[in-house]
Amino acid sequence: MKWILLSIVVTATALSDLLQSHEMKRAGEQSVDARGLARLLKTIARRRELILSIVCLAISFFAFMALVQAEPLSFAVPASASSFILETVLAKLVLKENVGMRRGAGALLVLGGVILLAR
Amino acid sequence: MTHSPGARFRTYSLLGLFVFLRPLGNLSLAWGTKHFPQVLSLNPVVYLRAMVDPFVALGIAMLILALLTRLALLSLADLSFVLPVTAIGYVLATLFGQVFLHEAVSAQQWMGSVLIFMGTGLVGTTPQNTTADAKESG
């Protein structure tokens, strides 16, 4: 069961992050001070893709809640970070971000760290 | 591209806030669900009951604020920048798991934390936004 829950967390998180990154770049710079939060909430309400991203996040969250109840936090959190490499590849391919040598190497170091943490 | 010192400062302020909120939210959520008497299943009623637990509710509130902070962060920086830089939160989660939930954390797991530190530092030296500025008014 834990691997099914983990798969749900990873897939839903990756989809949510891609949608969020794409839409927030289009929405322009945002902040989280009092006025900024109100503007940010309006932005979310107006963009279907952001609402869909939050639905994906909710699916990921409920699967994570069940995972974290049954498994140690020190497994659940790093293991759910396996979405990380999938998202970095998709950021390059779909969002056309420039994942250069340093960023790629850093991402691999983080992935290695996450794998060691998850064992 | 967003390279001005002001934008950089705003990006790192949001990063700091997110890195603080997310592990604390996860800790509160883990504490609440682990002390919740029923097993979380597909039954939504059990989930709703769990969400009324003060620790679960506090965890959810912190994670919602973390989500909004991350959305603001993604308006300033690349996803491939934000992902590794915020991974420092996994180290904090491990630390909190050991300190507050008394979970066993091995030397190998601490080695993993060191790798995450190094990777985060390396990605932190790259430009935060590499995509074109095709922005609409929000």
Side-chain angles (χ1 to χ4, degrees), chain A residues 27-44:
Chain A
E29 189 176 326
Q30 307 282 326
S31 65
V32 288
D33 55 27
R35 255 194 328 191
L37 270 180
R39 181 173 170 243
L40 182 54
L41 290 172
K42 268 190 218 159
T43 303
I44 295 169

Side-chain angles (χ1 to χ4, degrees), chain A residues 17 25-26 28-30 40 46-47 57 62 68-69 71 73-74 77 97-98 102-103 113 117 119, chain B residues 10 34 38 40 47 67 70 75-76 78-80 90 103 108-109 112 125 127 130 135-136 138:
Chain A
D17 281 352
K25 286 274 172 56
R26 291 179 64 205
E29 189 176 326
Q30 307 282 326
L40 182 54
R46 275 204 298 256
R47 292 176 179 265
L57 203 59
F62 287 117
V68 87
Q69 188 190 37
E71 302 297 325
L73 181 66
S74 48
V77 173
E97 292 179 4
N98 181 15
R102 263 188 303 167
R103 192 177 285 184
L117 267 182
R119 280 192 173 177
Chain B
R10 287 193 294 280
K34 280 181 194 300
Q38 288 175 278
L40 295 175
Y47 269 99
L67 164 70
R70 194 168 183 270
S75 73
L76 283 163
D78 288 348
L79 179 62
S80 58
Y90 298 122
E103 294 173 358
Q108 180 183 302
Q109 285 176 304
T125 64
T130 62
K135 289 173 182 171
E136 299 169 358

Side-chain angles (χ1 to χ4, degrees), chain B residues 42-67:
Chain B
L42 288 176
N43 185 352
V45 177
V46 181
Y47 269 99
L48 289 174
R49 275 199 205 120
M51 286 162 77
V52 184
D53 177 273
F55 283 102
V56 174
L58 177 66
I60 291 171
M62 290 177 96
L63 290 174
I64 288 172
L65 197 52
L67 164 70

Side-chain angles (χ1 to χ4, degrees), chain B residues 84-107:
Chain B
V85 171
T86 54
I88 207 76
Y90 298 122
V91 179
L92 287 177
T94 306
L95 183 67
F96 289 168
Q98 186 186 41
V99 173
F100 297 108
L101 303 174
H102 308 296
E103 294 173 358
V105 181
S106 65

